[in-house]
Amino acid sequence: MASLLAGENGIKLVEQFPLKGDIVAIAASMPELSQEIAENQKLASTDTEDPAIRKFFLAVEEAVNQSGINFDDPEYQESACMIADRPYSPTLDVDTYIKDYALACPDGNTDLDRWLAQLRRSPEMYKRADLDDVDSINHFAARYYNLTGPSLSIGTACASGNNAIGEAFEKIRRGRLTSAIVGGAYDFDVNTMIGFTRIGALTTNPDPDSACSPFDAKRSGFVMGSGCGVFDSRGA
């Protein structure tokens, strides 16, 4: 927040994974935050398949602390976790899809039944079966605070965060919830950057200071970003 208020640019060179070809290697990525995670012993000692989960939780913890809510209070033990996230994306398994397609359809003629049958036998896909339950920031936050309310991950692309807030608002307004941890969380991956580059949506400007110019006639596309924004929503 301090950097935002100071007007610092969060767009930097992408260094966490190699990018080649025509992909512009800049993005507004999350910092390492290892020191901040280490300061919370319980968080630091918890393993997650997705390393971004612990970073996301720092925002959850800050929002909860600032709200003053006490989850030990019986009134709030059934609070919901409704942070829009993307714990799993099919783009993560593109290599598996291609490999299994070649095995199922060696002649190049697509047979969806054979392809699906091959995917069901795939060891890589089998490992993905329980990933949503393991790697959701909502499930993680609910376990951390011992909450018994619903954990709902809303995925509607760029509108996910707004829809998560709206969904929580409606449930609170109708008396189905007393409070909810709401917001949005996203950590981009290389496959997403490749996809947006291929359709011409990602910026072709390699300069971090001028690449993001959404209302400029000379803009060349948008800049990928990752982060987490969370707040606690409660009824009156």
Side-chain angles (χ1 to χ4, degrees), residues 97-98 100-117 119:
Y97 299 153
I98 295 173
D100 285 347
Y101 177 85
L103 291 172
C105 310
D107 56 2
N109 295 319
T110 301
D111 186 319
L112 292 179
D113 290 335
R114 280 193 296 166
W115 190 12
L116 287 173
L119 284 170

Side-chain angles (χ1 to χ4, degrees), residues 142-154:
R143 290 193 300 270
Y144 189 95
Y145 291 117
N146 294 317
L147 301 179
T148 59
S151 295
L152 178 61
S153 296
I154 293 178

